[in-house]
Amino acid sequence: MDARYRLYDFGRAAFGTLTVTLAGTAGTEVELVIGEVLRGGRIDREPGGARCARTCRIVLDAGEREYRFPIPRHRRPDYAAMSMPSPLSEEIACFRYAEVVGECRVLAVRRREVFPPWDERASGFVCDDERVNRIWELCKYSIKATAAFGVFIDGERERCPYEGDAYINQLGWFCNSADPEIPRRTIELFTRHRTWPIEWSLLMPLIVRDYLLYTGDAASVAAWLPVLKTRLLEELERPDGLIGENGFYKELIDWPPWERDGYESSGVSLVPNCCRYAAFLAMAELTGDGTYRHRAAALREVIRRTMWTGTRFVDSPGSSHTAAHSVFFPVAFQTAAPEELPELRTMPMRCSVYGAQFLLDAMWMSEYDAEAYALLTADGLRGWLHMLDVGATITMEAWDDTLKPNQDWNHAWGAAPANLIPRRLCGIRPTAPGFRRFVVDPRPAGLTRFASVHPTPGGAIAVEYRNGKLCVEFPRGMTGIFRSREYESGFQADME
């Protein structure tokens, strides 16, 4: 090993800047490197894709001096949409490691990290399966670290807010923080800009519905309703009642495209229409207007008439193929009952990290607790433990670099367990705006013990589960419904 080489590990990747204090002979050239991937004990200078690896050379002055690593201004690849600027007066990058190479004395190496307002104690989870603890910590930290720009972004590669990313990101945020500012800012931004995936415009009513449940901020929701009506995409509706692609809006289904399990579509298909069904139901909840429920029922009838064979859904009208997405999305979006699609129970992870949110949601909604837990803790290529194994400290854009060569390693849409563990495994979910009413319905599968702290606008809900017994503490003024095989002695007296 080169004696002039020094590696510094900050423990986790974070968005920030680097300064070093060096001393040496004037005129000596020193190399500084920042990155987030190691290879052979050194920073990988060519990690590929959008993984960070930046190098600069500085010429030392006489004596001790502080030097700042120059980070060039971020540019998203296609320049076609908004890319969020650095929250500092200088550019930032996401990195975990720093190297100093050259003849000098290193007196200090400092990373200035950029994080949102964040209370580590506002949320917590621990259980008797260390795998789940590690996944929880990875995903909780991912929600914190990627909120450095004051809105939910997709990742460093684009730094662009997208509704699909924000749907997952917002749920993870509210399971860890009751602060509504970043979610509100993100939604405000979406009301002024829209993106191309059909499903992601349709997710806007669901995003706002969740925002209301977790915050109780009815005033903001009322202001957003006129825009939400435009996100139902009436302009894409065909005479048969289904929606399909046009010149701007395209189906996403899953991303990258080769994670779609062979999904067949010619521009009109199952998943976007199931998403629209869920959007109508969310609008009915937000507005109290029964017309949306009637429209949802009519769309469901068309979906089933054109794409239900009696035993399964096909991907699109006229197709004979059923991708994994044509099983779990109809259940997640409530277009089908779980008993109609029994193959969901044994479905492997045939989807991306984005699709995993909806697959595991559907499985836990269907009470396939053990099967969902097995996917959550899987140690194969498509799993969160694999992200940890390859060295990521923030969730990745894809399960592996081989599945998306241009991916970044700081994508919160990969952090679905940050909401699945509190919402599904622990079963803590709001049922009225601002958590005034809530449910605790644990689905712990193989766990015998867990403890969870969940933030709400009125204070924290604390849940402890031990060998089938459930104990819940929550602030006054809230009403809970609790489901467990056995209650702690005296527990029900606290349910006022």
Side-chain angles (χ1 to χ4, degrees):
M1 178 69 73
D2 186 345
R4 304 177 308 154
Y5 166 80
R6 281 134 297 186
L7 174 70
Y8 301 88
D9 182 355
F10 297 102
R12 285 172 162 172
F15 284 95
T17 61
L18 180 76
T19 58
V20 296
T21 303
L22 307 177
T25 304
T28 300
E29 186 175 83
V30 173
E31 183 179 64
L32 303 180
V33 188
I34 59 173
E36 58 188 330
V37 183
L38 283 190
R39 179 191 294 175
R42 299 190 66 163
I43 294 176
D44 189 343
R45 306 293 183 94
E46 297 181 356
R51 276 83 75 192
C52 178
R54 299 183 183 277
T55 302
C56 76
R57 288 177 171 80
I58 58 173
V59 177
L60 298 184
D61 294 328
E64 299 178 7
R65 184 184 161 189
E66 182 177 270
Y67 300 88
R68 188 174 300 276
F69 190 102
I71 300 173
R73 186 170 68 87
H74 178 273
R75 291 182 179 273
R76 59 165 288 163
D78 58 15
Y79 314 103
M82 54 206 164
S83 186
M84 303 310 297
S86 167
L88 303 181
S89 58
E90 57 188 312
E91 189 54 270
I92 59 176
C94 191
F95 63 97
R96 172 179 174 176
Y97 305 101
E99 288 179 356
V100 180
V101 185
E103 297 286 353
C104 66
R105 287 189 298 121
V106 180
L107 304 176
V109 177
R110 304 181 185 88
R111 182 178 69 176
R112 180 185 178 187
E113 301 164 346
V114 181
F115 292 122
W118 186 266
D119 180 358
E120 286 290 342
R121 298 170 299 177
S123 68
F125 172 83
V126 66
C127 70
D128 57 350
D129 187 336
E130 190 56 31
R131 298 173 302 172
V132 183
N133 293 335
R134 293 177 66 212
I135 292 167
W136 164 256
E137 290 298 332
L138 167 70
C139 295
K140 175 180 176 176
Y141 178 72
S142 300
I143 297 297
K144 170 186 174 181
T146 57
F149 296 88
V151 296
F152 299 136
I153 62 163
D154 61 336
E156 173 69 351
R157 183 169 57 83
E158 295 183 280
R159 284 195 196 174
C160 182
Y162 283 110
E163 301 93 334
D165 298 74
Y167 174 81
I168 300 169
N169 207 330
Q170 179 181 261
L171 284 171
W173 177 271
F174 281 133
C175 289
N176 287 279
S177 172
D179 186 345
E181 186 60 27
I182 288 178
R184 181 169 55 236
R185 263 196 244 126
T186 304
I187 294 172
E188 290 281 1
L189 188 149
F190 287 141
T191 64
R192 300 190 298 272
H193 303 274
R194 60 175 72 191
T195 60
W196 61 266
I198 292 176
E199 300 97 299
W200 289 3
S201 271
L202 294 167
L203 284 175
M204 278 300 296
L206 281 69
I207 291 170
V208 172
R209 185 269 318 277
D210 292 344
Y211 175 87
L212 180 63
L213 286 172
Y214 281 93
T215 68
D217 180 7
S220 292
V221 171
W224 297 329
L225 283 177
V227 176
L228 289 189
K229 294 175 182 178
T230 71
R231 302 305 163 87
L232 297 172
L233 304 183
E234 308 289 356
E235 65 271 32
L236 303 187
E237 188 170 312
R238 305 174 347 147
D240 63 5
L242 299 174
I243 57 171
E245 296 180 339
N246 69 4
F248 176 77
Y249 284 112
K250 306 295 181 185
E251 296 177 335
L252 181 95
I253 313 304
D254 206 344
W255 199 263
W258 44 88
E259 291 279 45
R260 295 175 185 162
D261 192 35
Y263 188 92
E264 293 182 350
S265 175
S266 58
V268 178
S269 72
L270 179 67
V271 171
N273 283 282
C274 289
C275 188
R276 194 178 195 219
Y277 173 82
F280 282 141
L281 294 183
M283 288 295 290
E285 290 182 54
L286 289 168
T287 65
D289 185 346
T291 303
Y292 290 112
R293 291 197 179 276
H294 291 304
R295 296 193 67 186
L299 177 57
R300 184 175 185 273
E301 190 279 327
V302 174
I303 291 170
R304 298 178 74 86
R305 174 162 44 82
T306 57
M307 289 174 276
W308 174 249
T309 69
T311 59
R312 62 189 176 95
F313 283 103
V314 294
D315 300 338
S316 57
S319 171
S320 60
H321 183 263
T322 300
H325 305 70
S326 296
V327 178
F328 64 79
F329 271 116
V331 176
F333 288 147
Q334 304 176 64
T335 319
E339 58 270 20
E340 294 182 296
L341 299 167
E343 60 268 42
L344 174 64
R345 184 167 206 152
T346 56
M347 180 162 289
M349 192 75 79
R350 296 206 303 267
C351 59
S352 77
V353 294
Y354 165 73
Q357 168 75 52
F358 302 95
L359 170 58
L360 269 71
D361 242 342
M363 294 180 83
W364 258 304
M365 289 165 63
S366 305
E367 301 187 11
Y368 301 151
D369 309 337
E371 292 80 7
Y373 189 87
L375 290 184
L376 174 71
T377 56
D379 57 5
L381 181 71
R382 287 178 167 82
W384 289 275
L385 292 176
H386 177 72
M387 295 187 190
L388 289 164
D389 288 344
V390 299
T393 56
I394 302 175
T395 49
M396 294 153 54
E397 187 180 2
W399 296 118
D400 191 73
D401 295 343
T402 60
L403 298 173
K404 197 173 194 299
N406 73 335
Q407 76 158 327
D408 57 47
W409 276 24
N410 38 65
H411 228 83
W413 86 340
N419 74 77
L420 291 168
I421 289 172
R423 292 173 54 248
R424 299 301 181 188
L425 191 151
C426 301
I428 307 167
R429 299 184 298 277
T431 57
F435 253 101
R436 289 196 305 273
R437 293 194 305 274
F438 64 97
V439 63
V440 178
D441 182 16
R443 300 288 176 184
L447 293 179
T448 58
R449 301 192 310 276
F450 72 75
S452 178
V453 176
H454 194 300
T456 80
I461 297 172
V463 176
E464 183 176 358
Y465 178 90
R466 186 183 294 268
N467 298 319
K469 297 180 179 180
L470 183 68
C471 184
V472 182
E473 297 180 3
F474 57 97
R476 290 186 177 276
M478 297 166 60
T479 303
I481 299 173
F482 311 105
R483 300 189 180 97
S484 179
R485 291 189 296 275
E486 184 179 352
Y487 289 114
E488 285 279 353
S489 175
F491 167 69
Q492 295 185 68
D494 297 328
M495 293 175 59
E496 297 149 7

